Amino acid sequence: MPKITLPDGATKDFNKSVDIDEIALSIGKGLAKATVAGFVNEELVDASEKVSKDSRIKIVKNTDDEGIEIIRHSCAHLFGHALKQIYPEAKMAIGPTIENGFYYDIDLPKSLNEKDLVSIEERMKELASKDYRVIREVVDRKKAIKIFEEREEPYKIEIINEIPDDEIIALYHHNEYVDMCRGPHVTSTRHLRSFKLTKVAGAYWRGRSKNKMLQRIYGIAWASDKDLKNHLDFLEEAEKRDHRKLGRELDLFHFQEEAAGMVFWHSNGWSIYRELEDYVRRRISKAGYQEIKTPQLLDKKLWEESGHWDKYIENMYTTVVDERELMIKPMNCPGHIQIFNQGIKSYKDLPLRMAEFGSCHRHEPSGALHGLLRVRNFVQDDAHIFCTEEQIESETILFCDLLKGIYQELGFNEISIMYADRPEVRVGSDDIWDKAEESLINAAKATGLPFNENKGDGTFYGPKLDFYLHDAIGRAWQCGTLQVDFNMPGRLGASYIGEDNSKHIPVMLHRAILGSLERFMGILIEHYEGRFPSWLSPIQVAITTIVSEVEDYSNKIEEEFRSKGIRTIIDTRNEKINYKIREHSHNKVPFILVIGKKEKENNTVALRRLGSADQEILHSNDCLKKIINETIPPDLKE
RNA sequence: GCCCACGUAGCUCAGGGGUAGAGCACUCCCUUGGUAAGGGAGAGGUCAAGAGUUCAAUUCUCUUCGUGGGCACCA
C-alpha cells in the first residue's frame, strides 16, 4: 500500500501500486493531461512506471525542462516510426535530443530532400494523432539483439554490443515501431504535437570521418505550438541579423570565388574595422603592451622548430622562392619570439607584452568556410606575454580586466569564462602545471564572471581560459582566449637572465580579446543588426536637402562636419525628403540632418535620429557639438 | 574534405530544349516637393565555368569552381 509524498509535503495513500499517470490523475485532470514522466525518489522514470512502495514523487509536466527533453526524445522515435513506414529499408542509427529538438541519423540509399521531410512530417502528425500507447519493455541482451536482427538494424546491434553488462536495455514500442532507449518517454504519442522537421544533412556514423556518412534529419520540438512558434520567430530574427545579408545591404564587404574565404572589405566595412582596430590599439597601449609587426612569410625551418610543420602542414600555404621554402604565417607566435630573442633579456624586462594585429592565413577545409565567421585570411588582435611562472596570475588578472572592459565598451555585457586544464598528453612538469592552473583559476574567479570548467581540454602546452560573450539574441560566441605555453619559448630558444644570474626560459601567454577581427566584425554586425553605435557607424551623418536652393548652405555644413572628423555624406539628389529619409534610415545612418529653407534662414538644422520620427531644431554649431560628443569612442569619453 | 541543396540583371527572385522576364536599385526627362517609396522613359544578362547529348542547351547529363545547411576540422 504505497504512501506517496509530493514535493509540497502532502501525502496520498493508495491501496494498490499505482503509476505516475494515476497519481497525477488523483491530483487533477489538468495535471494528468500534462504529465509526461515523473521522479520517483529523484529517479526520472516513465509515467507508466508502477510505484508499489512508499515514495517521494514529483510529476514531470510537458512544460518542465525534463518534460520538454522527453518530448523531444519521443519525437525522434516518432520520426523513426514514420520513416520506417515510408522507407522500410531505412536503417536507424542514433536519435538523440539536442538544443531545441532532436535529430536522427539514418542509413538509407535514397537521399532525402526537403520535400521528403514534408511528407515524413505529415506522417508523423498522423501517427501522433492516433494516440498510440508507448510501451516500455525491459529485455535482456539476447532478446534485444534478436529483435534488431529481425528488424535488420545493424547500427542498433552495434550499440547494444557496447552497452555495459550492468546496464538494463529497454525497448519502446508504439504500434509496430520499436526503438531502443534509456528513456523515459511519453506514454502516449498525443504529447507530440508541436514539432517540425527542419533540415537534412550528412553526418558520419559515430562522428568519425573514416566511417560511413549517414543522413541526419533535424527536427525541433516543443511542448506547445506557441513555444514552437517562438522558436521559429527566433530563427527568423537570427536570419534578419545574418551578417552576410547585412554586409551586402550596408555595402560592408563581399566575397568572390577567386579568393574563397578571404574578405573584400568595402569602404563602409573597412571604416568600422579600422575604428575597432584603433580602439583596441589604444586600449592595449594603455595596458602596457608594445605593438610590433612581423613578416608574412617565414622560412620553413622556423615552422619545423615550432612544431607546426608536423601538425598543420595540410593547412598551411607555402611558396618556394630562390629554392627556399617559405610559409605564409598561420599564426604570429614564432615571429614574436624572434623579436624577443633579439638582444639579451633580463628578468627586469618581464613581463613583456608584445602585440600585433597579425594577418594570418590558414587553409581551412572548404566545408568549414562561413561568411566572416570562418575565413582563410584573418587578423588576430594577438599578443604574447613573456613572463615568469610567478607572473602568470597577475598577468592573467590584468588580461581579464582588460577583456571585460573592452567587451563591455563594445556593447557586450554578458560574458562567461571556460577554464580548461591539463590533458593526458602534455609537456611540462606536474609542478608547473599545478601552479599555472591555480593561477588561472584564481584570476578567472577574481573577475566575478560566470565560470565553467572543461576538464582535460587544455592544450598540450598549457592550461587555458576561453572567454565567451553573449549577443543581443542570447547566442554565446567564443572570442577571447588566454593560453599558457610552457613549450614554444624553449623550442625557439627564448631565454632571459634571472635574478640568480643564470638563464631561464620564459613562460609565454598567448592571448587575444576579439580573436579574429573578421569574425568579430561578423558578430558585431549580427549583435547590432547593422545599427552600430554612432562611433563605429561608417556613415555617421547624412545631410539631406529639401530644395536645391539650400545646397550651398548644406555643403558648408557638410564641410564643417567633415573637418571635425565626422563621417558625413550629403544627399542633394532631386528626390523628395521622404525618399531620402527612407533610404538613409535603411542604411542605418544614426543621424539624419534635414535642411530646408527655414533652416537656411536661421542657420539651423533639423536633426532626426535613426529609429525616431522626432526632429530637433538646432543651431548648426550646437548640432555639430552634440554629434561630436555622441561619436566619441567609449574609451575616450570623460 | 564528406553528404544534401543551390548558382538566371547590382539585389530579391520567376521561367524553361528554339539563346530570357518582374520588382527594387541604376541613367535620363518632368517635378523643388518639409520627415520612411512623386511621375515618365531608358539602359542593363556569354543564364557560374568547361565538356557531352541534340538540328538546336541557359534548360538534359557529367566535371570543376563557388555558395547555403550540416558532419568532420578549427594551432
Coordinates of all heavy atoms in Angstrom, one line a residue, chain A residues 159-202:
Chain A
I159 N 25.3 -0.8 -31.2 CA 25.2 0.0 -30.0 C 25.0 -1.0 -28.8 O 25.6 -0.8 -27.7 CB 24.0 1.0 -30.1 CG1 24.3 2.0 -31.1 CG2 23.7 1.6 -28.7 CD1 23.1 2.9 -31.5
I160 N 24.1 -2.0 -29.0 CA 23.8 -2.9 -27.9 C 25.1 -3.6 -27.4 O 25.4 -3.7 -26.2 CB 22.9 -4.1 -28.4 CG1 21.5 -3.5 -28.6 CG2 22.8 -5.2 -27.3 CD1 20.5 -4.4 -29.3
N161 N 26.0 -3.9 -28.4 CA 27.2 -4.6 -28.0 C 28.1 -3.7 -27.2 O 29.1 -4.2 -26.6 CB 27.9 -5.1 -29.3 CG 27.2 -6.3 -29.9 OD1 26.6 -7.1 -29.2 ND2 27.3 -6.5 -31.2
E162 N 27.9 -2.5 -27.2 CA 28.7 -1.6 -26.4 C 28.1 -1.2 -25.1 O 28.7 -0.4 -24.3 CB 29.1 -0.4 -27.2 CG 30.1 -0.8 -28.3 CD 30.6 0.3 -29.2 OE1 30.4 1.5 -28.8 OE2 31.1 0.0 -30.3
I163 N 26.9 -1.6 -24.9 CA 26.2 -1.3 -23.6 C 26.9 -2.1 -22.5 O 27.0 -3.4 -22.6 CB 24.7 -1.5 -23.6 CG1 24.1 -0.6 -24.7 CG2 24.1 -1.3 -22.3 CD1 22.6 -0.8 -24.9
P164 N 27.3 -1.5 -21.4 CA 27.9 -2.3 -20.3 C 27.0 -3.3 -19.7 O 25.7 -3.1 -19.8 CB 28.2 -1.2 -19.2 CG 28.1 0.1 -19.9 CD 27.3 -0.1 -21.1
D165 N 27.5 -4.4 -19.2 CA 26.7 -5.6 -18.8 C 25.7 -5.2 -17.7 O 24.6 -5.7 -17.6 CB 27.6 -6.7 -18.2 CG 28.3 -7.4 -19.3 OD1 27.8 -7.3 -20.5 OD2 29.4 -8.0 -19.1
D166 N 26.1 -4.3 -16.8 CA 25.2 -4.0 -15.7 C 24.1 -3.0 -16.1 O 23.3 -2.7 -15.2 CB 26.0 -3.4 -14.5 CG 26.9 -2.2 -14.9 OD1 27.0 -2.0 -16.2 OD2 27.4 -1.5 -14.1
E167 N 24.1 -2.6 -17.3 CA 23.0 -1.6 -17.7 C 21.8 -2.3 -18.3 O 22.0 -3.3 -19.0 CB 23.6 -0.6 -18.7 CG 23.0 0.8 -18.6 CD 23.7 1.8 -19.4 OE1 24.9 2.1 -19.1 OE2 23.2 2.2 -20.4
I168 N 20.6 -1.9 -17.9 CA 19.5 -2.5 -18.4 C 19.2 -2.0 -19.8 O 19.5 -0.9 -20.2 CB 18.2 -2.4 -17.5 CG1 17.9 -0.9 -17.3 CG2 18.4 -3.1 -16.2 CD1 16.5 -0.7 -16.8
I169 N 18.6 -2.9 -20.6 CA 18.3 -2.5 -22.0 C 16.8 -2.4 -22.1 O 16.0 -3.3 -21.7 CB 18.8 -3.5 -23.0 CG1 20.3 -3.6 -22.9 CG2 18.3 -3.2 -24.4 CD1 20.9 -4.6 -23.8
A170 N 16.3 -1.2 -22.5 CA 14.8 -1.0 -22.6 C 14.4 -0.8 -24.1 O 15.1 -0.1 -24.8 CB 14.4 0.1 -21.7
L171 N 13.3 -1.4 -24.4 CA 12.8 -1.1 -25.8 C 11.5 -0.3 -25.6 O 10.8 -0.4 -24.6 CB 12.4 -2.4 -26.5 CG 13.5 -3.4 -26.7 CD1 13.0 -4.6 -27.4 CD2 14.7 -2.8 -27.4
Y172 N 11.2 0.5 -26.5 CA 10.0 1.3 -26.5 C 9.2 0.9 -27.8 O 9.7 1.0 -28.9 CB 10.2 2.8 -26.4 CG 10.6 3.2 -25.0 CD1 11.9 3.2 -24.6 CD2 9.6 3.7 -24.2 CE1 12.3 3.6 -23.3 CE2 10.0 4.1 -22.9 CZ 11.3 4.0 -22.5 OH 11.6 4.4 -21.2
H173 N 7.9 0.6 -27.5 CA 7.1 0.2 -28.7 C 6.0 1.2 -28.8 O 5.4 1.6 -27.9 CB 6.4 -1.2 -28.4 CG 7.3 -2.3 -28.1 ND1 7.6 -3.2 -29.0 CD2 8.0 -2.6 -27.0 CE1 8.4 -4.1 -28.5 NE2 8.7 -3.8 -27.3
H174 N 5.8 1.7 -30.1 CA 4.4 2.3 -30.3 C 4.0 1.6 -31.6 O 4.6 1.8 -32.7 CB 4.3 3.8 -30.4 CG 5.6 4.5 -30.7 ND1 5.8 5.1 -31.9 CD2 6.6 4.8 -29.9 CE1 7.0 5.7 -31.9 NE2 7.5 5.6 -30.7
N175 N 2.8 0.9 -31.4 CA 2.3 0.1 -32.5 C 3.4 -0.8 -33.1 O 4.1 -1.4 -32.3 CB 1.7 1.0 -33.6 CG 0.5 0.3 -34.3 OD1 -0.1 -0.6 -33.7 ND2 0.2 0.6 -35.5
E176 N 3.7 -0.8 -34.4 CA 4.7 -1.7 -34.9 C 6.1 -1.2 -34.8 O 7.0 -2.0 -35.0 CB 4.4 -2.0 -36.4 CG 4.9 -1.0 -37.4 CD 4.1 0.3 -37.5 OE1 3.2 0.5 -36.7 OE2 4.5 1.2 -38.4
Y177 N 6.3 0.0 -34.3 CA 7.7 0.5 -34.3 C 8.3 0.1 -32.9 O 7.7 0.2 -31.9 CB 7.6 2.0 -34.4 CG 9.0 2.6 -34.5 CD1 9.9 2.4 -35.6 CD2 9.5 3.4 -33.4 CE1 11.1 3.0 -35.6 CE2 10.8 4.0 -33.4 CZ 11.6 3.7 -34.5 OH 12.8 4.3 -34.6
V178 N 9.6 -0.2 -33.0 CA 10.4 -0.5 -31.8 C 11.7 0.3 -31.9 O 12.3 0.3 -32.9 CB 10.8 -2.0 -31.7 CG1 11.4 -2.3 -30.4 CG2 9.6 -2.9 -32.0
D179 N 12.0 0.9 -30.8 CA 13.3 1.6 -30.7 C 13.9 1.3 -29.3 O 13.2 0.9 -28.4 CB 13.2 3.1 -30.9 CG 14.4 3.7 -31.6 OD1 15.5 3.1 -31.4 OD2 14.2 4.6 -32.3
M180 N 15.2 1.4 -29.3 CA 15.9 1.1 -28.0 C 16.3 2.4 -27.4 O 16.7 3.3 -28.1 CB 17.1 0.3 -28.3 CG 18.0 0.0 -27.1 SD 19.3 -1.1 -27.5 CE 20.2 -0.1 -28.7
C181 N 16.1 2.5 -26.1 CA 16.3 3.8 -25.4 C 16.4 3.6 -23.9 O 15.7 2.8 -23.4 CB 15.2 4.8 -25.8 SG 15.6 6.4 -25.3
R182 N 17.2 4.5 -23.3 CA 17.2 4.5 -21.9 C 15.9 5.1 -21.3 O 15.4 4.8 -20.3 CB 18.3 5.5 -21.4 CG 19.6 4.8 -21.2 CD 20.5 5.6 -20.4 NE 21.9 5.2 -20.6 CZ 22.7 5.8 -21.6 NH1 22.2 6.8 -22.3 NH2 23.9 5.3 -21.8
G183 N 15.3 6.0 -22.1 CA 14.1 6.6 -21.7 C 14.4 7.7 -20.7 O 15.5 8.1 -20.5
P184 N 13.4 8.2 -20.0 CA 12.0 7.9 -20.2 C 11.4 8.5 -21.5 O 12.0 9.3 -22.1 CB 11.3 8.5 -19.0 CG 12.2 9.5 -18.5 CD 13.6 9.2 -19.0
H185 N 10.2 8.0 -21.8 CA 9.5 8.5 -23.0 C 8.0 8.9 -22.5 O 7.6 8.4 -21.5 CB 9.4 7.5 -24.1 CG 10.7 7.5 -24.9 ND1 10.9 8.5 -25.9 CD2 11.8 6.8 -24.8 CE1 12.1 8.3 -26.4 NE2 12.7 7.3 -25.8
V186 N 7.4 9.7 -23.4 CA 6.0 9.9 -23.1 C 5.2 8.6 -23.2 O 5.6 7.7 -23.9 CB 5.4 10.9 -24.1 CG1 6.1 12.3 -24.0 CG2 5.5 10.4 -25.6
T187 N 4.1 8.5 -22.5 CA 3.3 7.3 -22.6 C 2.3 7.2 -23.7 O 1.8 6.2 -24.0 CB 2.6 7.1 -21.2 OG1 1.9 8.3 -20.9 CG2 3.5 6.7 -20.1
S188 N 2.1 8.4 -24.3 CA 1.2 8.4 -25.5 C 1.7 9.4 -26.5 O 2.3 10.4 -26.2 CB -0.2 8.8 -25.0 OG -0.9 9.2 -26.2
T189 N 1.5 9.1 -27.8 CA 2.0 9.9 -28.8 C 1.2 11.2 -28.9 O 1.6 12.2 -29.6 CB 2.0 9.3 -30.2 OG1 0.6 8.8 -30.4 CG2 2.9 8.1 -30.3
R190 N 0.1 11.3 -28.1 CA -0.6 12.6 -28.1 C 0.2 13.8 -27.6 O -0.2 14.9 -27.8 CB -1.9 12.4 -27.3 CG -1.8 12.4 -25.8 CD -3.0 12.2 -25.0 NE -2.7 11.8 -23.7 CZ -2.4 12.6 -22.7 NH1 -2.3 13.9 -22.9 NH2 -2.1 12.2 -21.5
H191 N 1.2 13.5 -26.8 CA 2.0 14.6 -26.3 C 2.9 15.2 -27.4 O 3.5 16.3 -27.2 CB 3.0 14.1 -25.2 CG 2.3 13.8 -23.9 ND1 1.7 14.8 -23.1 CD2 2.0 12.6 -23.3 CE1 1.1 14.2 -22.1 NE2 1.3 12.9 -22.1
L192 N 3.0 14.6 -28.5 CA 3.9 15.0 -29.6 C 3.0 15.8 -30.6 O 2.5 15.2 -31.5 CB 4.6 13.8 -30.2 CG 5.1 12.8 -29.2 CD1 5.7 11.6 -29.9 CD2 6.2 13.5 -28.3
R193 N 3.0 17.1 -30.4 CA 2.1 17.9 -31.3 C 2.9 19.0 -32.0 O 2.7 19.3 -33.1 CB 1.0 18.5 -30.5 CG 0.2 17.6 -29.7 CD -1.2 18.2 -29.4 NE -2.1 17.1 -28.9 CZ -2.7 16.3 -29.8 NH1 -2.6 16.4 -31.1 NH2 -3.5 15.3 -29.3
S194 N 3.8 19.6 -31.3 CA 4.4 20.8 -31.8 C 5.9 20.5 -32.2 O 6.8 20.7 -31.4 CB 4.4 21.9 -30.7 OG 3.1 22.0 -30.2
F195 N 6.0 20.0 -33.4 CA 7.3 19.7 -33.9 C 7.4 20.1 -35.4 O 6.4 20.3 -36.0 CB 7.7 18.2 -33.7 CG 6.7 17.3 -34.3 CD1 6.8 17.0 -35.6 CD2 5.6 16.8 -33.5 CE1 5.8 16.1 -36.2 CE2 4.7 15.9 -34.1 CZ 4.8 15.6 -35.4
K196 N 8.6 20.1 -35.8 CA 8.8 20.4 -37.3 C 10.2 19.8 -37.7 O 11.1 19.9 -36.9 CB 8.8 21.9 -37.4 CG 8.9 22.4 -38.9 CD 8.7 23.9 -38.9 CE 9.1 24.5 -40.2 NZ 8.5 23.8 -41.4
L197 N 10.2 19.1 -38.8 CA 11.5 18.6 -39.3 C 12.1 19.8 -40.1 O 11.4 20.5 -40.9 CB 11.2 17.5 -40.3 CG 10.6 16.2 -39.6 CD1 10.5 15.1 -40.7 CD2 11.5 15.8 -38.4
T198 N 13.3 20.1 -39.7 CA 13.9 21.4 -40.3 C 14.9 21.2 -41.4 O 14.9 22.0 -42.3 CB 14.5 22.2 -39.1 OG1 15.4 21.3 -38.4 CG2 13.5 22.8 -38.2
K199 N 15.8 20.2 -41.2 CA 16.8 20.1 -42.3 C 17.3 18.7 -42.4 O 17.2 17.9 -41.4 CB 17.9 21.1 -42.1 CG 18.5 21.1 -40.7 CD 19.2 22.4 -40.5 CE 19.7 22.5 -39.0 NZ 20.0 23.8 -38.6
V200 N 17.9 18.4 -43.5 CA 18.6 17.1 -43.7 C 20.1 17.4 -44.0 O 20.4 18.4 -44.7 CB 17.9 16.3 -44.8 CG1 17.8 17.1 -46.1 CG2 18.6 15.0 -45.1
A201 N 20.9 16.6 -43.4 CA 22.4 16.9 -43.6 C 23.1 15.5 -43.5 O 22.5 14.5 -43.1 CB 22.9 17.8 -42.5
G202 N 24.3 15.6 -43.9 CA 25.2 14.4 -43.8 C 25.8 14.4 -42.4 O 26.1 15.4 -41.9

